[in-house]
Amino acid sequence: MADDLELRFERTVQAEARIEPRDWMPDGYRKTLIRQIAQHAHSEIIGMQPEGNWISRAPSLRRKAILLAKVQDEAGHGLYLYSATETLGADREDLTTKLIEGRQKYSSIFNYPTLTFADVGVIGWLVDGAAICNQVPLCRTSYGPYARAMIRICKEESFHQRQGYELLMTMMRGTQQQRDMVQDSVNRWWWPALMMFGPPDAESTNTEQSMAWRIKRDTNDELRQKFVNMSVPQAEALGVTFPDPDLKWNPERGQYDFGSPDWDEFWQVVKGGGVCNQQRIAHRRKAHEDGAWVREAAAAHAAKQAVSKEGAA
Amino acid sequence: MSTSWPLWEVFVRGKRGLNHVHVGSLHAPDAEMALRNARDVYTRRNEGVSIWVVPAASITASSPDEKDPFFAPSGDKVYRHPTFYAIPEDVPHL
């Protein structure tokens, strides 16, 4: 019987059909998905902080409205993804607890500080650009609710990336000081953006099984290469350079060659040693704890309304 | 008391003339808040003209384990499809 179920699961996945919430699935598949989708959801929620940092100091009402809409989208993306994890039997409260206790991770990119307003533009262009590279193939991931959430998210990410690039183009048309600010920001974000694709394939422990289950569609190195190829002409059009002396076109490969990110730094930030790790989690914990009375009051109000409705009926 | 809000399933009508379609779920203390949250989470870009929210616990679903027997009654009734009937090609409008 179990073999039957497993066979049906394998066949569904091989046929590029989707696995849906109430289907039988291997425990490992369920666990891997919960871990990956929760980590993704946490990244969206924590990702509101670096940019939220600039909402009150946006240089114009236009930029402020755009930034607000973008940060609100990140919240929405987190919610689509939490909703997907719940179809797998995860509990929302439990996921939030795991995040604020440091038992589940989020993307390390959000442990870097946003020092200038140019960072808002560079995050949109490079960080959201890298996220799009990662996420577009996930629209075809084997788990239905995850794939559907990714489709919604990808549509909205396109606005994020374009607003960032447009912001940078505007700054590049400004003063020398503004252009320097953009280049400085690119210098700081380029390597962390490349790290967003995860460790090199040879060291990526989860890749092989995830590819077999069609949760993951491309390897870390394939996506990283694709991102570099896409970004170089965009940098040229903008008038900035990437801080990599090894970056150059390789006509034989038909791709750009590029240097290796500092993986020691990557692992250090993953393990909690980044500039903002503690601040990000402390802020999330405070927001959650400060909101406790609102959640309780709303639940109490709902219970009271339900009783008085029953009485009136 | 438990402070975790119940789960609601959200259905959105994209535009007039279309059915409501399931788009996801969310937590809210009551139906009214579920509707407001659904508007903010699922229709930030004019994705809908009407929203339904339904307590997730109220949904009864067919079980995927009994998929084959449950849908079997329609499997052997080919005569329900128009292609079952052979009609000469020169007969118009059929």
Side-chain angles (χ1 to χ4, degrees), chain A residues 5-13 19 24 26 29 213:
Chain A
L5 291 171
E6 187 143 15
L7 199 65
R8 192 191 292 171
F9 169 85
E10 296 286 345
R11 260 197 226 129
T12 307
V13 169
I19 302 297
W24 183 91
Y29 179 82
W213 278 331

Side-chain angles (χ1 to χ4, degrees), chain A:
Chain A
M1 184 61 192
D3 286 352
D4 249 24
L5 291 171
E6 187 143 15
L7 199 65
R8 192 191 292 171
F9 169 85
E10 296 286 345
R11 260 197 226 129
T12 307
V13 169
Q14 295 304 322
E16 290 288 322
R18 298 287 175 261
I19 302 297
E20 293 295 343
R22 286 157 54 86
D23 289 340
W24 183 91
M25 59 188 86
D27 280 347
Y29 179 82
R30 186 185 299 274
K31 271 189 206 140
T32 302
L33 274 172
I34 292 179
R35 183 182 53 79
Q36 180 173 332
I37 306 175
Q39 185 168 326
H40 194 160
H42 296 329
S43 301
E44 300 282 357
I45 297 298
I46 295 290
M48 295 162 74
Q49 292 182 39
E51 291 177 285
N53 179 35
W54 283 96
I55 291 175
S56 63
R57 291 172 289 161
S60 68
L61 189 56
R62 179 175 181 272
R63 294 291 170 196
K64 184 180 289 202
I66 292 169
L67 192 50
L68 264 173
K70 179 174 189 284
V71 172
Q72 193 189 3
D73 273 354
E74 311 293 2
H77 297 176
L79 294 178
Y80 305 156
L81 291 162
Y82 282 130
S83 161
T85 62
E86 289 185 280
T87 65
L88 291 158
D91 177 77
R92 176 79 65 90
E93 275 291 313
D94 179 51
L95 295 181
T96 303
T97 306
K98 281 181 173 147
L99 171 64
I100 61 186
E101 288 180 354
R103 288 188 285 137
Q104 274 179 343
K105 297 198 186 312
Y106 54 89
S107 177
S108 280
I109 192 82
F110 303 117
N111 291 319
Y112 290 85
T114 42
L115 303 179
T116 68
F117 193 71
D119 289 8
V120 171
V122 172
I123 286 177
W125 172 36
L126 294 179
V127 175
D128 291 319
I132 291 172
C133 267
N134 262 328
Q135 291 171 353
V136 165
L138 289 176
C139 296
R140 293 181 293 118
T141 194
S142 60
Y143 187 58
Y146 190 25
R148 295 192 284 274
M150 291 319 309
I151 291 170
R152 297 182 67 91
I153 290 173
C154 284
K155 274 187 198 158
E156 300 183 353
E157 288 289 351
S158 167
F159 140 61
H160 296 182
Q161 195 186 20
R162 290 174 66 108
Q163 68 81 33
Y165 196 81
E166 187 230 42
L167 189 163
L168 296 175
M169 287 198 316
T170 308
M171 286 185 81
M172 293 302 284
R173 286 194 298 266
T175 64
Q176 187 56 43
Q177 205 181 354
Q178 285 175 307
R179 280 189 287 276
D180 292 345
M181 197 184 276
V182 172
Q183 182 62 59
D184 168 69
S185 177
V186 170
N187 292 348
R188 282 181 290 110
W189 289 96
W190 174 246
W191 292 111
L194 289 190
M195 294 179 199
M196 285 175 69
F197 298 96
D201 293 347
E203 295 165 35
S204 176
T205 46
N206 300 317
T207 295
E208 202 180 335
Q209 179 63 74
S210 287
M211 301 260 305
W213 278 331
R214 316 240 168 147
I215 293 175
K216 208 170 159 167
R217 309 306 311 240
D218 304 272
T219 72
N220 297 351
D221 286 334
E222 284 166 1
L223 291 168
R224 194 170 4 252
Q225 176 75 60
K226 198 170 158 202
F227 174 68
V228 171
N229 292 347
M230 279 167 41
S231 299
V232 173
Q234 292 169 353
E236 282 166 3
L238 194 59
V240 295
T241 57
F242 292 133
D244 179 356
D246 297 327
L247 181 67
K248 61 169 188 292
W249 179 251
N250 182 331
E252 276 168 41
R253 291 202 308 130
Q255 318 225 49
Y256 284 93
D257 288 339
F258 58 100
S260 174
D262 179 350
W263 293 111
D264 290 338
E265 175 185 315
F266 172 78
W267 290 114
Q268 193 186 329
V269 179
V270 168
K271 287 173 183 147
V275 179
C276 299
N277 294 56
Q278 291 183 14
Q279 181 190 337
R280 299 294 185 233
I281 290 296
H283 186 86
R284 180 70 192 95
R285 176 188 287 278
K286 185 172 185 306
H288 186 64
E289 289 172 357
D290 287 354
W293 73 271
V294 178
R295 294 192 295 278
E296 284 164 22
H301 177 73
K304 212 165 138 189
Q305 291 297 110
V307 168
S308 72
K309 226 183 228 170
E310 231 167 66

